[in-house]
Amino acid sequence: MLRVLLLTLSVAAIADAELCKPDAQNAFKVRFSIKTALGDNAYAWDANEEYLFKAMMAFAMRKYSRKSTTQISNVLLCNVTDRVSFWFVVTDSSRNVTTVPGSEVEAAIRMNRHRINNAFLLSDKTLQFLKITSTLSPPVEPSTPVWLIVFGVVLCLIVAGIIFLVVTGIRQQKKKNKESTERETLEEKSEVTVTVENGIPCEALDLKAGHINGVFAADDERFTSL
Amino acid sequence: LAVPPEIPKEDGRPKWDNKFQYILSCIGFAVGLGNVWRFPYLCQIHGGGAFLIPYFIALIFEGIPLLHLELALGQCLRKGSIGAWNTISPYLGGVGAGSWMVSVLVSLYYNTVLTWVMWYFINSFQEPLPWSVCPLNENRTGLNTECYESTAVNYFWYRKTLNITPDVTESGTLQWWLILCLATCWAIVYLCTIRGIETTGKVIYVTAIFPYLVLTIFLIQGLTLPGATDGLAYLFTPNLSTLKNPHVWLDAATQIFFSLSLGFGGLIAFSSYNPPKNDCEKDAVTVAIVNSMTSIYASIPVFSVLGFKATTGYWDCLDRNIISIINEFDLPEESILRQNYTAWISFLNSSYPEKIAGLKLRSCDLQEFLDQSVSGTGLAFIVFTQAIILMPGSQAWAILFFIMLFSLGLSSMFGNIEGVFTPLLELQIISKSIPKELLSGTICLICFLIALCFTLGSGSYWIDIFDRYAGSLPLLVIAFFEVIGVVYVYKIKRFSKDVKRMTGRNPNPYWQITWRFISPLLLLIVFVAFVTLQVQKSPTYAAWNPEYEGFPMKEEKVYPPWVLAICVLLAVLPCVFVPLVALLQLIKLICRSKEPSCVPPEVFSCQGTNS
């Protein structure tokens, strides 16, 4: 009995080794870069992680082809290295010694890539399926390019500044013109210069006979010197 | 009723608000983009610290004397470049006209460089920075090919900004985004120069001082970056053997000359607004020394950042190799680190040479990364922007960097525009009828319309042409005739007396010797050497051609004959004014001497202008 059991187990093992080996048909190489992704929070790769991987592959196969009954035991891993890279195949559950075509496995993985990445806290770059290229996500494009907004702000400020300066320049020019015309008319009026002080022509005053008012004499100090 | 006495403006000429404004304007004019992106490059390729020796010799024997000459000239004659040279001697009016022409040509293309700076500035407000990622190609299967083969930074510069054509003869189309930025830049220049020095004098406080603040911030940040010390050591390690090469001396002389913005007429314009009794000797020495110190000060953050970029590039190279080795040999992660990379490589090479050869590893050498020297627009828009992506908080650094470049360029533009504006204001026909605002607006509008050519696809090739031919050779010619004119036509004794009246002391023997002999001789040698070198090397340019086999290397192309003709025209046009005007005056004199009533030309002296 024991011998029969051993024999069947060894046959199964050999069969597995036949199905899963590097560059076998429908086999995929997987590479994990856990330390690169997680740094100090990196987990160690052990049998439990392998179990999770098998489970995720089975999950992906089940989701892809709804009628499939892929079991965890259908996912075979081999050649696990320290790099954390290995090969795997998915055997067909109905027929024991054949593997599921690579195209189906690839499609299943593509469909569920996001879930598989998340299960291991990794990304497309750090969990690589070497034959399966990831589709690139389009860059985020805002509806109005940001630079146009900044440009609009800058331009408005400048135009405001220019208008302000031009208007003040015109106003100054007008004031200067008004002042110069006023001065001209003043000069025209006082052609005959009669010095007038408080409405009384100076010649009428007898300056010598006048009294000097002490209060007003000291007034010069009121004005600040130039 | 007492009418307060008016403070008379002696000759109705605008004045600086204070001395500091004037000095800042001169410093702002002299300190420009070249201090940041040409001087560090020259230092790097000409033996590091050893370059400072020819640089300071050129400063002492060429830079400072010529600067003093121009400032004293403007202050004494109180006119812009055309008026000043007409006053010195009618035969030398061509020198002023040549200066004016050069200022016009340089203003045209200089503002387009500022347009590029502005474009990068307004694009720095995005997250992520647009030059850090490659866009996808049309069917979204991969990255855009042109971007993928070169780098994202190169792609943004050559395709998204310039939309460059592969050849100077293909003009391409007008790039509407560049036209918008160009209009903005000219609007800013108009806003600042609308009333001449009354408005630039206010703005210069910001545009001249702000770059120093940003340089200091970059200095502090740069020194904290990894690899900064490598960059600095590389920059400043003197290699005295390079001094045997005459190119180094030529480069030092031309760098000092162009860095101080001599021969544009802008300095003459600035100093013409000074009060007559002003110590122009001290001003000249101050401006020249500040300019040189700024160059050296700017090269420190530039090279810290370049060292950082080289180190990051070197580390990336190592990391890529390490990943390939780890993947190939299925070694655990982090088994090979950068430190023991060389040990591992030698071990693996001895045990599995074919596998290692099959990996096609790229040899990583830090020296090779440091040796990638770039100057000019390449430094600012390609190398520096790449380094900025690697820094944390890149938007802020990008914004600061481009505002700094903009201020540097803007303060130099003020000098250029003054060199155009002031002589026009003094022409009798213009000054009476047109207000200043209209004149400056017209100048800016005409320059904007002509500069639209530079927004074509081939625009940057044309700017290189202008920079190489219009902004270099004519200045040497003009400066040479300036010195000769003042020293031998106006007579050095008269000039020394004028300087004594302005500064209060006679120019000491240093000035006498340099003005009389050393500076003209140096200028002549530099001119001859410059022309010989330009003629010797065939006029080629580096074109960005995605179809080229060696892409992303640039393709060396030769200028077609009609472009060469334009180059020669640009170089010769300002210079040709000098003999042309002299000839015209001679013809006028001959015609006048044929008439019976001839009035001898008045003997001019500086004191005459003050009445």
Side-chain angles (χ1 to χ4, degrees):
Chain A
M1 182 63 185
L2 202 64
R3 235 182 281 162
V4 172
L5 203 64
L6 274 172
L7 204 63
T8 39
L9 276 175
S10 52
V11 165
I14 294 168
D16 284 353
E18 284 294 312
L19 292 173
C20 176
K21 59 179 186 221
D23 298 318
Q25 199 192 35
N26 303 329
F28 291 89
K29 183 166 182 182
V30 190
R31 190 186 288 147
F32 281 68
S33 307
I34 307 172
K35 283 199 190 140
T36 317
L38 301 170
D40 288 332
N41 299 328
Y43 48 81
W45 186 259
D46 54 12
N48 299 328
E49 306 288 341
E50 285 181 22
Y51 191 79
L52 177 61
F53 182 78
K54 290 186 195 175
M56 290 308 294
M57 287 301 108
F59 163 75
M61 292 306 298
R62 282 186 185 221
K63 275 208 99 166
Y64 173 65
S65 56
R66 303 258 168 88
K67 59 173 169 64
S68 141
T69 49
T70 318
Q71 305 290 328
I72 288 180
S73 50
N74 289 124
V75 183
L76 306 169
L77 267 62
C78 50
N79 281 62
V80 184
T81 64
D82 281 338
R83 171 71 180 81
V84 193
S85 66
F86 49 84
W87 291 83
F88 78 95
V89 281
V90 181
T91 57
D92 198 331
S93 51
S94 48
R95 292 162 287 163
N96 241 343
V97 271
T98 53
T99 52
V100 176
S103 51
E104 281 186 36
V105 180
E106 183 171 332
I109 294 177
R110 265 194 213 278
M111 202 174 97
N112 298 290
R113 188 64 188 266
H114 191 61
R115 298 290 296 271
I116 300 172
N117 285 349
N118 274 350
F120 291 97
L121 307 172
L122 298 173
S123 67
D124 277 2
K125 272 201 190 146
T126 41
L127 205 188
Q128 292 167 301
F129 290 88
L130 286 187
K131 274 189 257 174
I132 305 175
T133 52
S134 48
T135 50
L136 299 160
S137 58
V140 178
E141 286 263 349
S143 48
T144 29
V146 177
W147 71 264
L148 265 180
I149 300 174
V150 180
F151 173 76
V153 170
V154 170
L155 196 63
C156 287
L157 286 172
I158 295 166
V159 169
I162 292 178
I163 295 176
F164 171 70
L165 282 176
V166 169
V167 164
T168 46
I170 294 175
R171 274 215 211 119
Q172 260 180 19
Q173 192 72 9
K174 277 206 194 129
K175 227 197 286 178
K176 232 196 284 175
N177 286 343
K178 225 188 347 178
E179 273 177 26
S180 63
T181 45
E182 276 178 8
R183 226 181 296 135
E184 280 173 20
T185 47
L186 254 171
E187 285 171 8
E188 281 172 18
K189 279 192 197 149
S190 56
E191 276 294 315
V192 180
T193 43
V194 180
T195 33
V196 181
E197 193 74 58
N198 276 349
I200 310 166
C202 281
E203 294 102 25
L205 291 172
D206 186 2
L207 290 163
K208 287 213 185 85
H211 295 284
I212 296 173
N213 191 334
V215 180
F216 282 97
D219 251 5
D220 293 316
E221 282 148 49
R222 244 214 291 159
F223 296 103
T224 48
S225 50
L226 288 162
Chain B
L1 235 170
V3 180
E6 272 180 36
I7 302 158
K9 274 207 190 116
E10 293 169 346
D11 43 4
R13 203 172 172 74
K15 284 198 310 202
W16 297 106
D17 290 344
N18 51 53
K19 174 86 179 265
F20 186 55
Q21 211 178 62
Y22 161 64
I23 295 279
L24 265 189
S25 297
C26 290
I27 290 177
F29 184 32
V31 172
L33 297 168
N35 294 63
V36 169
W37 72 33
R38 181 133 175 95
F39 177 80
Y41 163 76
L42 287 177
C43 246
Q44 182 190 3
I45 60 170
H46 288 320
F51 182 70
L52 292 175
I53 299 176
Y55 184 73
F56 277 111
I57 293 180
L59 179 71
I60 293 174
F61 289 114
E62 191 194 340
I64 300 186
L66 284 171
L67 188 63
H68 186 199
L69 191 87
E70 283 209 10
L71 291 182
L73 201 68
Q75 201 173 294
C76 162
L77 299 175
R78 319 204 77 225
K79 289 215 177 111
S81 55
I82 299 184
W85 288 101
N86 267 325
T87 326
I88 290 229
S89 157
Y91 294 99
L92 284 177
V95 179
S99 286
W100 185 85
M101 188 83 235
V102 172
S103 283
V104 170
L105 290 174
V106 172
S107 303
L108 285 176
Y109 79 80
Y110 205 81
N111 218 16
T112 316
V113 178
L114 287 185
T115 308
W116 298 336
V117 174
M118 160 144 290
W119 166 250
Y120 267 79
F121 166 70
I122 58 184
N123 269 302
S124 305
F125 286 91
Q126 293 180 36
E127 159 78 28
L129 289 171
W131 55 83
S132 60
V133 284
C134 270
L136 300 175
N137 56 20
E138 283 95 36
N139 41 10
R140 299 234 191 113
T141 51
L143 299 172
N144 179 301
T145 4
E146 190 182 345
C147 185
Y148 181 69
E149 285 175 14
S150 56
T151 58
V153 189
N154 273 319
Y155 177 75
F156 187 73
W157 169 239
Y158 286 110
R159 191 54 50 211
K160 283 281 148 94
T161 308
L162 300 176
N163 202 5
I164 207 167
T165 53
D167 198 283
V168 71
T169 49
E170 290 174 41
S171 306
T173 51
L174 289 170
Q175 317 304 330
W176 61 271
W177 58 89
L178 283 183
I179 296 180
L180 286 180
C181 291
L182 185 72
T184 318
C185 284
W186 276 111
I188 294 180
V189 170
Y190 179 50
L191 177 69
C192 298
T193 59
I194 195 168
R195 286 198 211 118
I197 62 165
E198 290 167 31
T199 38
T200 62
K202 310 284 186 308
V203 187
I204 202 75
Y205 288 113
V206 175
T207 57
I209 296 183
F210 185 70
Y212 288 97
L213 279 173
V214 177
L215 276 175
T216 312
I217 296 176
F218 264 100
L219 179 79
I220 300 172
Q221 158 74 352
L223 289 175
T224 60
L225 293 169
T229 36
D230 288 314
L232 284 176
Y234 184 72
L235 168 71
F236 284 119
T237 316
N239 178 12
L240 289 164
S241 58
T242 55
L243 294 181
K244 293 191 213 122
N245 182 2
H247 275 252
V248 178
W249 295 88
L250 179 66
D251 273 339
T254 47
Q255 172 62 16
I256 266 292
F257 184 76
F258 298 134
S259 177
L260 284 171
S261 308
L262 299 164
F264 281 89
L267 288 166
I268 297 181
F270 280 154
S271 57
S272 70
Y273 297 117
N274 266 339
K277 292 231 187 303
N278 176 50
D279 194 344
C280 49
E281 178 179 342
K282 217 165 35 160
D283 296 341
V285 176
T286 313
V287 172
I289 291 188
V290 170
N291 181 50
S292 297
M293 288 300 129
T294 310
S295 294
I296 297 176
Y297 187 61
S299 46
I300 302 178
V302 166
F303 265 88
S304 314
V305 173
L306 289 181
F308 162 69
K309 179 175 176 296
T311 307
T312 332
Y314 171 64
W315 284 351
D316 276 341
C317 178
L318 278 181
D319 286 342
R320 255 180 282 133
N321 286 354
I322 290 174
I323 292 273
S324 325
I325 296 176
I326 286 182
N327 287 345
E328 176 66 21
F329 291 92
D330 281 322
L331 302 163
E333 285 178 285
E334 292 181 6
S335 53
I336 306 182
L337 299 170
R338 291 180 197 139
Q339 294 93 305
N340 50 20
Y341 170 76
T342 32
W344 269 98
I345 268 282
S346 47
F347 164 67
L348 288 170
N349 226 346
S350 50
S351 8
Y352 308 97
E354 328 80 38
K355 265 196 175 179
I356 292 284
L359 284 177
K360 293 209 182 57
L361 297 174
R362 193 183 143 194
S363 73
C364 301
D365 180 19
L366 180 62
Q367 203 56 28
E368 188 194 311
F369 284 98
L370 284 171
D371 275 336
Q372 292 166 357
S373 54
V374 203
S375 82
T377 51
L379 180 74
F381 298 117
I382 298 181
V383 173
F384 228 77
T385 43
Q386 198 158 24
I388 286 179
I389 305 174
L390 303 164
M391 294 186 209
S394 11
Q395 276 84 14
W397 296 113
I399 293 171
L400 269 180
F401 179 64
F402 289 114
I403 295 190
M404 175 188 82
L405 285 187
F406 195 76
S407 318
L408 281 173
L410 195 65
S411 49
S412 299
M413 268 306 284
F414 293 159
N416 282 324
I417 293 286
E418 266 317 303
V420 176
F421 193 50
T422 307
L424 285 179
L425 269 183
E426 285 153 12
L427 290 179
Q428 302 293 59
I429 20 165
I430 293 184
S431 61
K432 297 280 156 61
S433 49
I434 303 182
K436 265 196 238 181
E437 288 91 343
L438 194 60
L439 180 65
S440 51
T442 322
I443 294 176
C444 288
L445 187 66
I446 295 177
C447 287
F448 165 67
L449 290 172
I450 301 179
L452 282 176
C453 309
F454 295 124
T455 58
L456 290 168
S458 54
S460 84
Y461 298 131
W462 285 107
I463 290 191
D464 277 333
I465 290 175
F466 268 68
D467 192 30
R468 247 201 269 182
Y469 295 102
S472 57
L473 201 71
L475 291 171
L476 289 169
V477 173
I478 289 170
F480 178 72
F481 279 106
E482 276 188 7
V483 185
I484 297 291
V486 168
V487 169
Y488 296 111
V489 175
Y490 186 72
K491 296 290 190 297
I492 187 80
K493 285 205 172 46
R494 245 164 82 195
F495 189 65
S496 304
K497 252 190 263 170
D498 294 328
V499 174
K500 181 173 183 180
R501 216 177 12 89
M502 292 193 291
T503 64
R505 46 183 193 281
N506 229 350
N508 57 37
Y510 160 68
W511 301 112
Q512 303 285 346
I513 297 176
T514 47
W515 282 336
R516 268 187 236 233
F517 310 114
I518 301 188
S519 296
L521 194 64
L522 256 171
L523 276 173
L524 196 63
I525 296 175
V526 170
F527 173 72
V528 169
F530 196 81
V531 172
T532 339
L533 272 174
Q534 289 286 72
V535 167
Q536 264 179 3
K537 59 175 179 198
S538 53
T540 56
Y541 66 103
W544 178 263
N545 184 5
E547 315 290 316
Y548 180 50
E549 313 95 43
F551 188 76
M553 300 302 289
K554 295 223 208 148
E555 189 181 352
E556 282 283 318
K557 287 193 179 169
V558 184
Y559 285 126
W562 65 273
V563 175
L564 268 179
I566 295 183
C567 299
V568 171
L569 186 74
L570 282 174
V572 162
L573 187 68
C575 311
V576 91
F577 277 109
V578 179
L580 202 69
V581 171
L583 206 66
L584 278 168
Q585 289 296 328
L586 204 63
I587 294 175
K588 242 199 257 178
L589 187 69
I590 295 174
C591 292
R592 218 185 295 151
S593 64
K594 290 217 179 102
E595 293 170 18
S597 62
C598 64
V599 184
E602 296 173 22
V603 173
F604 172 77
S605 90
C606 255
Q607 288 143 334
T609 47
N610 285 343
S611 57

